[in-house]
Amino acid sequence: MVYQFIKVVLATLFRVAYRPTITGLDNLPRTGPVILASNHLSFMDSMVIPMLVPRRVAFLAKSDYFTGKGVKGTLSRWWFEGFGMISVDRDDTRAAQVSLDAALEVLASGGAFGIYPEGTRSRDGLLYRGRTGVAWLAMTSGAPVVPVAVVGTEKIQPVGSRGLRLAKVSMHVGEPIAVEGRFDAVPVGRARRELTDEIMTAIRAMSGQELAGRYNERPPTV
């Protein structure tokens, strides 16, 4: 019910208000397991992508959004579950593996899973080095990886702003990257690195971002 509301009402309103430029949607398989690997510029990415693609896409979201109390907590949980997001405790020492296990469940059921290889959003607009979890997920599940690039989403809700702003937004979907049989003779660690770099190269070709040349780290919590 909530998902239908998001796809029919919110997605329509978003398209009318922002008039996003969308390219490459035909590259996204309409059925079967698939991994959408995207750059990450804004909290809004996990909403913009599901609204603009023709499939339900599961993203991870921090557990705080699902555990609030009262009316506000209930609405928050309703909202994020409606988008198909999966709760994960980012402060759990096993959070990374728990997240990948949750992703495998989505893919095993034939679903689409969205992941940000950079790990956390870019605060300076640079494209950071991809972490190899996306390659582990692809090689373990056998699902193809579809690179996605979003542009301009950081301007919808700038850091420190509570409201939404109009901005020029675009989303580009690249050709699927198959994994099965490609790395059978390559050492596992090297294979994951090569596949991850291939994915990030495809994302950069569409986003036009400058490379940071290093991993992105979450800012320290106060």
Side-chain angles (χ1 to χ4, degrees):
M1 179 70 176
V2 178
Y3 177 70
Q4 282 73 19
F5 171 78
I6 289 170
K7 293 297 288 187
V8 175
V9 180
L10 291 188
T12 299
L13 290 175
F14 182 84
R15 288 172 182 266
V16 170
Y18 289 89
R19 299 183 180 277
T21 299
I22 307 170
T23 64
L25 274 185
D26 289 343
N27 290 321
L28 179 64
R30 294 301 190 265
T31 60
V34 64
I35 301 166
L36 281 72
S38 175
N39 60 330
H40 196 14
L41 296 173
S42 168
F43 163 80
M44 294 296 298
D45 297 337
S46 297
M47 299 179 188
V48 170
I49 294 173
M51 284 195 293
L52 297 183
V53 300
R55 292 189 62 174
R56 185 166 190 163
V57 184
F59 277 94
L60 298 176
K62 62 182 181 179
S63 57
D64 297 13
Y65 296 136
F66 299 84
T67 57
K69 305 296 182 181
V71 175
K72 183 177 180 180
T74 299
L75 290 176
S76 175
R77 184 165 55 255
W78 174 83
W79 177 261
F80 287 97
E81 288 179 350
F83 267 98
M85 296 187 191
I86 300 171
S87 172
V88 61
D89 183 356
R90 296 194 300 181
D91 295 322
D92 186 338
T93 56
R94 296 187 62 253
Q97 189 58 51
V98 170
S99 300
L100 292 174
D101 290 343
L104 283 178
E105 291 184 13
V106 172
L107 296 171
S109 67
F113 184 81
I115 188 172
Y116 303 116
E118 293 171 276
T120 189
R121 68 181 175 83
S122 172
R123 288 168 173 74
D124 53 17
L126 299 177
L127 184 66
Y128 285 81
R129 196 176 191 204
R131 299 180 186 274
T132 59
V134 62
W136 179 91
L137 186 58
M139 292 176 176
T140 302
S141 66
V145 180
V146 172
V148 176
V150 290
V151 180
T153 52
E154 76 282 5
K155 298 174 183 177
I156 296 177
Q157 189 176 39
V159 177
S161 173
R162 289 182 176 273
L164 302 182
R165 302 179 182 180
L166 292 177
K168 181 59 180 176
V169 175
S170 61
M171 182 189 74
H172 310 285
V173 182
E175 295 183 1
I177 298 174
V179 298
E180 288 191 299
R182 289 184 52 200
F183 299 95
D184 293 348
V186 182
V188 174
R190 178 179 155 193
R192 292 176 185 170
R193 184 71 264 164
E194 288 182 359
L195 177 56
T196 301
D197 289 345
E198 180 181 352
I199 294 166
M200 298 309 293
T201 297
I203 292 173
R204 181 176 183 253
M206 296 184 292
S207 73
Q209 293 168 273
E210 293 184 25
L211 295 177
R214 62 186 186 278
Y215 291 112
N216 198 3
E217 303 292 344
R218 287 173 54 196
T221 55
V222 180

